[in-house]
Amino acid sequence: MTPTGAGVPADAVVLTEAGVLTEAACAKVNLALHVRRRRADGYHDLETIFAFTDFGDTLTGAAAGTLTLTTEGEFASVVGAVDNLVLRAARVLAAAAGVQHGARLQLIKRIPVAAGLGGGSADAAAALRLLNRLWQLDWPLGRLADVGSGLGADVPACVFGTTQLGSGRGEQLTPYTGASMAGTPVLLVNPRVPMLTGPVFAEWDRIDRGALDVASPLAALRNDLTGPALALDPVIGTVLATLDAAGAALSRMSGSGATCLGLFASTADCDAARERIAAAYPHWWTVATSLR
Ligand code: C5P
């Protein structure tokens, strides 16, 4: 349970073996998440700003007759390799494309699980992009996103991996037209409390607090799942207060938690805050990285 330091860039080349393809599965953060209404199908209509960080998992793959997956990395034992979203994405893509190819896949799992960072969705999206290349399908990203939407509400956003506005369940995407935030230093802090998305949404009080106006400064926007997640585990309040005390220009819970993000004015400030928080809470998971 040692704290993690600067995040390994998800697109770091980890294998150079001939014929091995690499895809970055970048961690997703929600810079804002407004929940609007509960739907008849049990999902919630929401409006969100998806953004991605340089930190993430790495998926590699090579041609093979059958489909196999091995996992390594800090959280490999948590995800397992049996019903991993990577394998589900591969099967869904093979069926949609009408091919029977296999692949030898390897996932380096650095993103904590059930953490509000879209780790499983990012892995599924990386699998769709990687197999699109390996199997020479040459499909556009939009078609891959459509194939992936049944795997999870965040998968389409992760297929594109760029800052976007999400609506509906999160799967309806439009380009983000605000000023670019690429390169903004961001500190990710998770108190190592897993939060399942379904139960957090179920805690929502069904009060619509209003639309997400992209023209508003981020500080005026919200994550409406913060209250529900706090009700399930108050430590999230401590994480947010700790980020504020460490000098974050903005602190916010990501997704359904429990990871919270802090935006910082400089990489030096972000790194210093990480060291301070890791010293005070050595059992928390911390990564200093940047928005893409
Ligand atoms: O789509 P995904 O599998 O990520 O969603 C997990 C759970 O989170 C859903 O079964 C649902 O309970 C909840 N959810 C929701 N509204 C959304 C997204 C997720 O209620 N927009």
Side-chain angles (χ1 to χ4, degrees):
M1 288 270 201
T2 47
T4 312
V8 178
D11 46 10
V13 174
V14 292
L15 277 178
T16 51
E17 192 187 326
V20 176
L21 302 182
T22 301
E23 280 288 334
C26 300
K28 166 228 73 168
V29 289
N30 302 85
L31 296 177
L33 196 166
H34 293 200
V35 184
R36 304 300 309 278
R37 66 190 70 83
R38 190 171 193 279
R39 308 180 348 173
D41 64 5
Y43 272 88
H44 294 75
D45 279 330
L46 52 81
E47 291 151 15
T48 187
I49 303 175
F50 289 114
F52 292 86
T53 74
D54 286 333
F55 166 81
D57 297 341
T58 306
L59 184 71
T60 57
T66 57
L67 187 62
T68 59
L69 173 67
T70 54
T71 53
E72 61 177 80
E74 182 176 1
F75 297 103
S77 63
V78 189
V79 287
V82 181
D83 191 31
N84 191 285
L85 266 177
V86 168
L87 292 176
R88 287 175 55 201
R91 289 192 204 102
V92 165
L93 182 63
V99 299
Q100 294 185 333
H101 308 314
R104 182 166 51 84
L105 300 169
Q106 185 196 42
L107 178 68
I108 303 179
K109 188 72 206 159
R110 306 184 186 97
I111 306 175
V113 177
L117 294 175
S121 301
D123 297 343
L128 294 173
R129 291 194 308 265
L130 188 146
L131 295 172
N132 186 44
R133 292 162 59 202
L134 190 70
W135 295 344
Q136 300 183 339
L137 303 178
D138 205 22
W139 287 9
L141 291 180
R143 195 168 171 193
L144 297 177
D146 288 344
V147 166
S149 67
L151 296 166
D154 290 349
V155 175
C158 293
V159 166
F160 292 99
T162 52
T163 309
Q164 295 149 89
L165 295 175
S167 61
R169 288 185 301 133
E171 87 290 5
Q172 293 170 23
L173 302 174
T174 50
Y176 175 73
T177 51
S180 171
M181 289 173 279
T184 302
V186 57
L187 179 58
L188 306 176
V189 179
N190 183 292
R192 293 190 192 261
V193 173
M195 297 294 282
L196 294 174
T197 306
V200 176
F201 271 101
E203 279 289 322
W204 181 59
D205 59 10
R206 305 194 185 185
I207 295 173
D208 177 7
R209 291 170 174 81
L212 191 162
D213 178 0
V214 279
S216 297
L218 280 183
L221 302 177
R222 321 176 297 270
N223 181 343
D224 289 333
L225 294 178
T226 310
L230 272 168
L232 294 175
D233 200 321
V235 72
I236 292 165
T238 310
V239 176
L240 289 167
T242 304
L243 278 164
D244 290 337
L250 177 98
S251 66
R252 183 150 291 156
M253 192 179 82
S254 180
S256 52
T259 305
C260 299
L261 61 99
L263 300 182
F264 285 83
S266 73
T267 303
D269 288 351
C270 188
D271 290 344
R274 194 204 74 77
E275 282 174 26
R276 189 170 147 187
I277 293 173
Y281 298 93
H283 57 294
W284 286 2
W285 176 91
T286 58
V287 155
T289 180
S290 303
L291 296 180
R292 291 170 78 86

